[in-house]
Amino acid sequence: LPLCCPTLCAPKRHRRAMPKILYVCTSNTCRSPAAATIARAHLETIGRTDVEIASRGLTDRYSAWGSGPDPRAEKALQSATGLSSAGHASSKLTAQEVDACNALFYFMREHIEWIAGCVGKAPVKRALESGRLRIVHPPDGIPDPFFADDAFYGEVMTMLQTHVARSLDQVLASAHAFEVYRKAQEGKSRLTTR
């Protein structure tokens, strides 16, 4: 997949005012809300206020939509990072969100099929072709701790703490590199038209 997300890297006249990054997991109660919380904290640390972060789920089989963070995930997140996802309410991913986001991070390879089952194959195909669909911590992703013990929740939160910021930085760096290149090309075209 290309590192540059065309919609995030587009010239300013074509770019949304605030790029949107989505984190998607199974039920939107463990990994994705924790990842979104970590991503927001990371953006604050690096002084980026121009990026919107959201999280969504793919099924309400394990918890109803509108549920808060899994208590075990919340405890592990606080323990690993000092952060909290309090106030989060789970919600289902939509096709419109897949098309509108600048990058969509998922956590396990099988999530691609689940995303397609949730929103349809066409939005997933467009997101894959544009490089907007990315796995956090390739090649295998970050496993779901839902059926595991508290210690494993801690391990998952530690993985998220390490890899969410890294993957977000890659998207932001690609966007910055594209913007520098675009400005250089504009400068060259101005020189040749004089």
Side-chain angles (χ1 to χ4, degrees):
L1 297 177
L3 277 178
C4 184
C5 298
T7 54
L8 185 59
C9 301
K12 284 184 180 176
R13 66 184 178 275
H14 299 296
R15 194 186 313 158
R16 289 175 197 82
M18 182 174 281
K20 185 168 188 173
I21 310 292
L22 282 174
Y23 291 90
V24 176
C25 73
T26 307
S27 297
N28 193 216
T29 58
C30 293
R31 291 167 294 175
S32 58
T37 298
I38 291 167
R40 286 185 199 104
H42 179 65
L43 289 172
E44 187 175 324
T45 299
I46 64 173
R48 292 292 300 261
T49 58
D50 61 331
V51 181
E52 181 184 351
I53 302 291
S55 68
R56 297 291 184 263
L58 302 170
T59 180
D60 61 354
R61 181 176 178 183
Y62 305 105
S63 61
W65 297 127
S67 297
D70 181 292
R72 296 167 296 169
E74 180 67 8
K75 181 180 175 186
L77 176 65
Q78 289 178 6
S79 178
T81 67
L83 301 171
S84 172
S85 296
H88 167 75
S90 66
S91 59
K92 185 178 180 182
L93 181 68
T94 67
Q96 293 80 12
E97 289 172 319
V98 174
D99 281 331
C101 74
N102 300 98
L104 187 152
F105 288 104
Y106 60 99
F107 297 94
M108 298 186 307
R109 292 207 172 278
E110 55 265 33
H111 278 159
I112 290 182
E113 290 178 21
W114 293 15
I115 293 168
C118 183
V119 302
K121 291 182 181 178
V124 171
K125 184 174 187 281
R126 288 189 293 271
L128 281 168
E129 288 172 351
S130 69
R132 291 179 291 120
L133 202 58
R134 300 159 174 262
I135 190 167
V136 175
H137 187 253
D140 299 319
I142 296 177
D144 192 343
F146 188 77
F147 296 106
D149 60 15
D150 290 352
F152 192 66
Y153 270 87
E155 290 175 33
V156 166
M157 293 305 147
T158 299
M159 284 188 260
L160 288 173
Q161 185 178 21
T162 301
H163 296 288
V164 166
R166 185 177 298 162
S167 57
L168 182 57
D169 283 344
Q170 288 173 347
V171 169
L172 298 175
S174 295
H176 176 72
F178 181 86
E179 191 63 21
V180 168
Y181 171 79
R182 186 188 64 76
K183 286 181 180 177
Q185 294 304 311
E186 283 180 356
K188 284 182 185 177
S189 70
R190 276 191 291 250
L191 288 173
T192 58
T193 56
R194 288 182 183 174

